[in-house]
Amino acid sequence: MSNTPYDDVFRTLLNDCSSLILPVINEVFGENYTGEEKIIFSPNEHFLNSQDGGEQERITDTCFTVLGTKEKKYHWECQSRPDSSMLVRIFEYDAQIALDQGEVRKNKLIVTFPHSAVLFLRCNQNTPEEMTVEIRTPGTNASYNIPVMKLQHFTVEKIFEKRLLFLIPFHIFCHEKCFALYDQSASQRKVLEAEYEDIRGRLETLLEQGSIDEYTKCTIVDMSWRVLENIARDYENVKKGVKSVMGGKVLDYEAKRIKTEGRTEGRREGKKEGKLEALVELVRDNILSVQEAASRANLTETGFREFMQNYGK
């Protein structure tokens, strides 16, 4: 099955800013993750055996394990449109995920199903609050529920109150039905622009407070643009309006190595140190000049070059 741009954004957010998913898990499953837990991702590709002896490849949106006080595995799907076969696919994925790490003890196969959930980007009166898989076996029955998260239930206020920053790139779906009106009416469009100006301001506040780092803020903005480009591709005024108030990218998103050793060390040694190391990576990748990096770090060029020479030793 082909991926949608929204699947790609969903996976990018999980891979590049994985801690953002923890408040979402708290909201859906009633957990109490603090944000400091370790997340270990499992392969998204699974091969299902067919009746003809062949194999079919299936790609989940994401499967990962959270290492907290207990170890729990989660399987999340992002759904942009209603799909009657989705529940079947989820069960196929869950069963294969369970089998991948199943174990045989003497004559007993033990499999553990993940905690599964679905994020609906669009919903209507027929969209369920949760779904259920019931397994009937000779001698007993078993069932488990699959919670549903509906994007439209979360206002900007609620998103920031609950720290559901993971949802921000998809928030534009809440305005989709009004795109034609926004595109034709400047006054109506200003309502949308004001909301996104508020989002940008709140992100800046979180950045200043140290609740998120610059990379996370830039990723949220960049992923918001990618969703906007696709969903509003026929509404040029809507795209221009939202982009104008969301602001430009402070760091080039393609420099993903900003997220590696520099960011890891930055968490241990302090925000300033982490930012300096990130800027060094951008200079080494020829994305920023030494002069530009020094300016962003509030250092002289000489001081920044000295830091570069010692970085990594």
Side-chain angles (χ1 to χ4, degrees):
M1 297 184 62
S2 59
N3 299 330
T4 70
Y6 314 125
D7 294 328
D8 295 338
V9 167
F10 187 86
R11 292 193 187 105
T12 299
L13 284 168
L14 278 164
N15 291 329
D16 293 358
C17 302
S18 56
S19 63
L20 293 183
I21 195 62
L22 294 174
V24 179
I25 295 175
N26 290 343
E27 177 69 18
V28 173
F29 290 101
E31 298 286 1
N32 293 293
Y33 293 127
T34 64
E36 299 300 319
E37 292 79 9
K38 186 176 182 180
I39 298 176
I40 300 175
F41 288 93
S42 302
N44 289 336
E45 297 82 8
H46 300 278
F47 293 89
L48 308 180
N49 294 324
S50 304
Q51 290 182 346
D52 61 4
E55 289 184 327
Q56 295 180 340
E57 184 179 14
R58 291 286 190 271
I59 300 177
T60 64
D61 281 346
T62 187
C63 178
F64 56 89
T65 300
V66 177
L67 301 180
T69 54
K70 293 182 179 180
E71 180 178 315
K72 288 190 177 181
K73 178 166 285 190
Y74 295 92
H75 164 213
W76 276 78
E77 292 292 323
C78 178
Q79 191 73 14
S80 60
R81 295 188 181 278
D83 183 349
S84 59
S85 68
M86 186 183 63
L87 193 53
V88 174
R89 295 202 315 274
I90 289 176
F91 174 70
E92 287 181 339
Y93 299 155
D94 287 351
Q96 194 61 51
I97 290 167
L99 279 172
D100 287 346
Q101 294 189 346
E103 59 177 316
V104 177
R105 298 178 185 173
K106 294 185 177 179
N107 5 344
K108 181 186 292 186
L109 171 64
I110 300 174
V111 292
T112 302
F113 275 57
H115 298 267
S116 294
V118 179
L119 169 63
F120 275 99
L121 304 181
R122 297 182 178 97
C123 67
N124 54 39
Q125 66 273 15
N126 297 320
T127 306
E129 297 299 324
E130 69 176 12
M131 299 177 290
T132 302
V133 172
E134 182 175 332
I135 305 167
R136 299 180 180 180
T137 69
T140 187
N141 295 339
S143 66
Y144 65 97
N145 294 328
I146 300 165
V148 168
M149 188 178 206
K150 300 178 183 179
L151 182 70
Q152 282 74 10
H153 287 182
F154 296 90
T155 62
V156 171
E157 189 69 33
K158 189 176 289 188
I159 284 173
F160 281 93
E161 175 190 338
K162 295 176 175 287
R163 289 292 192 265
L164 302 174
L165 306 185
F166 189 94
L167 301 182
I168 290 176
F170 304 109
H171 177 68
I172 193 65
F173 275 86
C174 296
H175 293 277
E176 184 180 18
K177 294 180 180 179
C178 297
F179 281 171
L181 177 62
Y182 294 153
D183 211 52
Q184 297 171 10
S185 171
S187 61
Q188 292 294 326
R189 195 161 57 248
K190 285 187 180 299
V191 176
L192 176 66
E193 293 169 2
E195 186 167 275
Y196 273 88
E197 191 168 9
D198 180 41
I199 290 173
R200 184 197 65 186
R202 290 172 184 257
L203 287 173
E204 291 290 349
T205 298
L206 291 177
L207 178 63
E208 292 169 4
Q209 294 172 345
S211 299
I212 60 174
D213 57 25
E214 193 171 40
Y215 181 85
T216 298
K217 189 203 78 170
C218 292
T219 303
I220 291 171
V221 171
D222 192 77
M223 293 299 103
S224 297
W225 285 10
R226 295 191 186 195
V227 173
L228 178 68
E229 282 286 347
N230 190 75
I231 193 174
R233 57 186 176 274
D234 297 326
Y235 302 95
E236 197 62 32
N237 290 331
V238 173
K239 290 193 296 183
K240 287 181 179 179
V242 173
K243 284 189 175 184
S244 69
V245 297
M246 280 293 278
K249 291 175 279 189
V250 179
L251 298 176
D252 191 315
Y253 182 77
E254 295 305 320
K256 288 193 174 184
R257 273 163 287 188
I258 191 176
K259 185 177 177 285
T260 56
E261 186 64 25
R263 292 185 65 219
T264 303
E265 292 298 318
R267 292 191 184 96
R268 291 199 293 262
E269 299 176 15
K271 184 178 178 182
K272 182 177 179 180
E273 184 83 357
K275 181 178 179 180
L276 284 172
E277 293 173 345
L279 290 170
V280 168
E281 295 295 337
L282 293 176
V283 171
R284 290 179 175 175
D285 290 342
N286 296 318
I287 293 170
L288 290 180
S289 67
V290 172
Q291 183 179 13
E292 289 172 325
S295 175
R296 293 186 183 186
N298 295 319
L299 293 175
T300 64
E301 286 189 45
T302 300
F304 188 80
R305 288 183 186 279
E306 289 177 355
F307 181 84
M308 282 186 67
Q309 291 174 355
N310 292 321
Y311 173 60
K313 292 184 178 180

